[in-house]
Amino acid sequence: MTSFTTSSQSPRGLGFLAAPFLGLTFGLFSLTATAQGPAPTASTGRVTGTLLEQGTGQPLPFASVVLLRAQDSSFVAGAETLENGSFRLDQLGMGSYLLKSSAVGYQSLRRRITLTAAAPELALGTLRLASITTQLKGVTVTGERAVVENEPGKRVINVEKDLASVGGMATDVLRNVPSVAVDAGGSVSLRGSSNLTILIDGKPSGGSNGGPGLRLDQIPASRIARIEVMTNPSAKYDAQGTGVINIILKKQTKNGVNGTVSLLGGTGDKYNASLSLNRKQGPANLSLSYDRQDETYREQTRNRQSSGLISTRQDGTGTERNFSHSLNLGLNLDLKKEQSLSLSFNPNWQQESNRSEQLLSTARPGEPTTTQRGVQQLDVDVKVFENVASYRRGWEKHPGRELTAVGGAVLIRADVPVTQTLESGALTSWRQQMDVDANIYFAQADYTLPLPGNKGKLETGLKIEQQRSNGTADLFSQQPDVPGGYVRDPARSLAYNFRQTVPAAYATYQRGWGKHWNAQAGLRTEYTSVTGAVAGGQGKFDLDYLGLFPTASLSRHFGQRDTAKTAEQPQQLTFSYARRLNRPGFMQQLAVPLYLDPRFYRLGNPGLRAEFSHNLELGHQLSLPGGAEITTTLFGRFTSDAIQRLRDVDTVATNRNPAAGLVLVETYRNLGTTTNAGLELTWSQPITAWWRVQANGSLFMAHLNTNAPDAASRRALTGTARLNQNFSPTPALDVQLTGSYRSATLTAQGRQLATGGLDIALRQRLWQNRAALTFRVSDLLNTQVRRAEINSPELQSTLYTKPETRVAWLGFTWYVGASKAKAGRIEAAPSGGGGFGG
């Protein structure tokens, strides 16, 4: 059982924002209004229409209508049709758009529209959707759109269609995404790398995968509309990370009060509740959500280590209880003259109680085997506060021209006591008290200028982000004859500080020509200043470096672009390049020993440097008649100064306490170069109107060329496969069956072994879609485990952890106001395990 996350991850559950830099945001607000003068007084654009069934002429209520920019397919506005099938999109800028409308059981409709100053309002009248329903043994059933859709430069996950994850957390959603893997502990990786940049609604979240800020395993899927995964993002996005995950939250557009109330229970003492309400009145939109989690998980561990003539065994069981409260308040205000202001406030309180018992055995030649029983108690108290403000300014006479600004902060306070007790030995009991005080501040401004003739655009922006962290790690040894029973050991206690400041600037140029070609080029520059030290000057580091990160993409369209329902076969061929980096986390650099059990601790490396990578992709998308979609991607990632995690034997600690056997230390080093190159394939096909299949897989070669004497150069072939099937046996019942497999993957000293699982989910809509009952069994066959091997000249080890992954969940959701259950949604499902320390 782990007690505190080091490596690239900061303490689990940390994530919080307060609001410095808001002065900059409001300053930009005032400066823009002053510099530009009064905006045009002409009314903003509007689009109206009515969706009807083609055969019967009946209205289609609660169908989705989405408006995208024609230039880059970015989201502009969305709505649901009313009971009479009508819809209305207001406060639109002038320009060209792509209107998409869809309803379950009907063919999608796409139409290009243009709003001009001379004709800012467009009444589309009646739009008719053709039915694709069929009869199955006298019962009408309908088909569904794919859970994962491929768009230029990214993959889009329609969260509301993913029955096996909606109602869980964002990590559960990502389990069904091509290129993405989520292990049994909730750690997310993209093509083998867990170094990712996380955005929320296109804005910095203040965190990353496993880092401080709003974490993926803290974002309920019930609040998410869709997730965009960009494996080769443009220069507009941070250079940090292998790729970018952009989480788009739901936004209500209906007037009045709307929302959901959900209750969820799982086997083995797991209980969740959530409330989400939205009040829209005129230009003001106020949202409130509250989530409560109280979940208990159990796990078993079996670890074996040997070094020289010493061998050890650790057999343990553990129980982890996570208890949290999360509140989110948001205000969106549509101002006059094409301006809007958004504020969000998100406090989070998380507690974790983790108790594990281990039987520790040590064998030496010619000596009897010694055995110790150890107990670890971990109690975590984390308070997180997040506050963000954003501003948008548009120009009605210049469609597509836009200025946005965002500012915010993350404040983190964590109290982490760990107590270890052994029944015999030189050190029978000790306690480590860790306190963390971390802040993250950021401000960003972006400007978009469309090119004449609507042929492209120029984007530029500035950003600054600073991370500050101060903490203590005090070690107490047991002294039964003193009050309290423990005495602080000054020689093994320390305090530390860390500062990282990253100013950045970027510019991108996008241009289309002819009817089929589109190109984009960009350059981003980031300056990194990092300082840190342990009190007293130990392990001090001070790094400054400037990085240039070019990006480029070129795409060519073939055939018809807007529909796959005709005899034509639209295709797209895309090539992209991006240079990116991975900065080491502050706990990877600070020389702070964090003891996870009597035989294992982690220690940062002050000399650790950032790793840089070149990323290439060649992709092909093909749409076939009948709705089949096939995507093929060739990719390569070439990394220098690769950061790798290494385990070694601490001979001093091993000799100090012979009864404890081998004492291992985990640290980080830059180990030469790594190369990942491979092929991904995604296939989506509606087999019938009531059955849709989606399969995806990848196969890539990982090559580690190391410069370390204790980590040999080698290569391995890795594969992943996932099959997702959606069924609608009755109009109100949705079923989803998902199976996944990942083969063994390469590590610096060994490998992570293969794993896989099978999930099933059912959802029954009730009372004319006013409520829904959900049932899900995660890891039905109980096959998800974490297994690893280490084979180095100094250490041989096998690590086995079996978390509690097979859980049956039952949930109930009630819809408030105009909200209703839709086919293909589950609003209550599991959130998975995990906890502080991953």
Side-chain angles (χ1 to χ4, degrees), residues 488-550:
R488 181 177 179 272
D489 184 352
R492 302 176 69 187
S493 301
L494 50 86
Y496 65 86
N497 64 80
F498 170 85
R499 299 289 185 276
Q500 176 176 285
T501 304
V502 182
Y506 78 90
T508 65
Y509 177 79
Q510 179 182 324
R511 177 64 188 259
W513 66 93
K515 295 183 178 180
H516 305 290
W517 289 94
N518 189 281
Q520 183 183 82
L523 179 65
R524 185 179 185 91
T525 178
E526 295 185 353
Y527 176 77
T528 304
S529 175
V530 183
T531 61
V534 176
Q538 297 178 349
K540 183 178 180 180
F541 58 90
D542 189 345
L543 302 174
D544 296 273
Y545 51 93
L546 179 69
L548 297 177
F549 305 96

Side-chain angles (χ1 to χ4, degrees), residues 388-405:
V388 178
S390 62
Y391 165 74
R392 177 189 175 276
R393 170 76 157 94
W395 285 264
E396 185 177 5
K397 289 187 176 181
H398 303 279
R401 184 183 176 191
E402 184 177 78
L403 173 69
T404 60

Side-chain angles (χ1 to χ4, degrees), residues 456-470:
K457 63 180 178 179
L458 176 67
E459 291 182 290
T460 186
L462 299 170
K463 179 185 177 182
I464 184 169
E465 180 174 301
Q466 184 180 73
Q467 298 184 26
R468 305 177 184 177
S469 181
N470 299 291

Side-chain angles (χ1 to χ4, degrees), residues 264-591:
L264 175 68
T267 54
D269 298 322
K270 299 171 182 62
Y271 311 98
N272 292 333
S274 66
L275 170 68
S276 179
L277 295 175
N278 189 87
R279 171 110 162 83
K280 188 177 189 301
Q281 188 66 40
N285 194 349
L286 181 65
S287 61
L288 165 68
S289 64
Y290 168 75
D291 296 280
R292 177 188 180 277
Q293 290 182 300
D294 187 356
E295 301 177 356
T296 300
Y297 288 89
R298 298 157 185 85
E299 72 173 17
Q300 295 180 335
T301 59
R302 295 197 303 269
N303 301 331
R304 308 289 185 269
Q305 299 94 19
S306 63
S307 178
L309 300 177
I310 304 175
S311 61
T312 65
R313 292 182 54 180
Q314 292 175 260
D315 299 296
T317 59
T319 301
E320 175 187 297
R321 183 190 178 194
N322 297 309
F323 186 88
S324 67
H325 299 272
S326 180
L327 180 68
N328 186 280
L329 293 173
L331 173 64
N332 186 81
L333 189 62
D334 293 327
L335 308 174
K336 296 181 180 179
K337 304 173 184 178
E338 290 200 338
Q339 301 179 65
S340 63
L341 178 68
S342 297
L343 303 171
S344 68
F345 168 77
N346 180 206
N348 182 284
W349 176 53
Q350 179 180 357
Q351 284 188 317
E352 178 182 328
S353 178
N354 191 323
R355 177 183 173 86
S356 64
E357 297 185 7
Q358 290 187 338
L359 187 64
L360 316 174
S361 302
T362 303
R364 290 180 170 87
E367 299 180 14
T369 299
T370 60
T371 302
Q372 286 182 314
R373 187 174 301 276
V375 177
Q376 175 181 279
Q377 179 67 42
L378 165 70
D379 295 290
V380 181
D381 189 351
V382 181
K383 295 179 178 63
V384 191
F385 181 78
E386 179 174 356
N387 192 1
V388 178
S390 62
Y391 165 74
R392 177 189 175 276
R393 170 76 157 94
W395 285 264
E396 185 177 5
K397 289 187 176 181
H398 303 279
R401 184 183 176 191
E402 184 177 78
L403 173 69
T404 60
V406 61
V410 178
L411 305 181
I412 306 160
R413 305 293 180 266
D415 176 24
V416 188
V418 184
T419 302
Q420 297 274 0
T421 303
L422 300 175
E423 52 182 21
S424 63
L427 183 64
T428 58
S429 183
W430 55 266
R431 176 178 296 165
Q432 187 172 41
Q433 174 68 45
M434 290 170 285
D435 295 290
V436 178
D437 186 348
N439 302 320
I440 303 173
Y441 306 101
F442 65 88
Q444 180 173 341
D446 301 279
Y447 179 71
T448 302
L449 180 67
L451 300 178
N454 200 28
K455 293 184 178 181
K457 63 180 178 179
L458 176 67
E459 291 182 290
T460 186
L462 299 170
K463 179 185 177 182
I464 184 169
E465 180 174 301
Q466 184 180 73
Q467 298 184 26
R468 305 177 184 177
S469 181
N470 299 291
T472 59
D474 294 326
L475 191 70
F476 298 80
S477 59
Q478 187 179 39
Q479 299 290 340
D481 55 343
V482 301
Y486 288 90
V487 175
R488 181 177 179 272
D489 184 352
R492 302 176 69 187
S493 301
L494 50 86
Y496 65 86
N497 64 80
F498 170 85
R499 299 289 185 276
Q500 176 176 285
T501 304
V502 182
Y506 78 90
T508 65
Y509 177 79
Q510 179 182 324
R511 177 64 188 259
W513 66 93
K515 295 183 178 180
H516 305 290
W517 289 94
N518 189 281
Q520 183 183 82
L523 179 65
R524 185 179 185 91
T525 178
E526 295 185 353
Y527 176 77
T528 304
S529 175
V530 183
T531 61
V534 176
Q538 297 178 349
K540 183 178 180 180
F541 58 90
D542 189 345
L543 302 174
D544 296 273
Y545 51 93
L546 179 69
L548 297 177
F549 305 96
T551 64
S553 67
L554 179 67
S555 63
R556 172 72 160 86
H557 296 274
F558 304 87
Q560 185 173 333
R561 297 181 58 181
D562 290 339
T563 180
K565 302 299 182 182
T566 68
E568 295 191 57
Q569 299 178 4
Q571 303 178 55
Q572 177 175 291
L573 188 64
T574 304
F575 172 80
S576 64
Y577 163 80
R579 184 176 188 253
R580 301 187 66 77
L581 89 161
N582 173 23
R583 299 183 187 88
F586 73 91
M587 296 306 294
Q588 291 177 297
Q589 293 176 294
L590 288 173

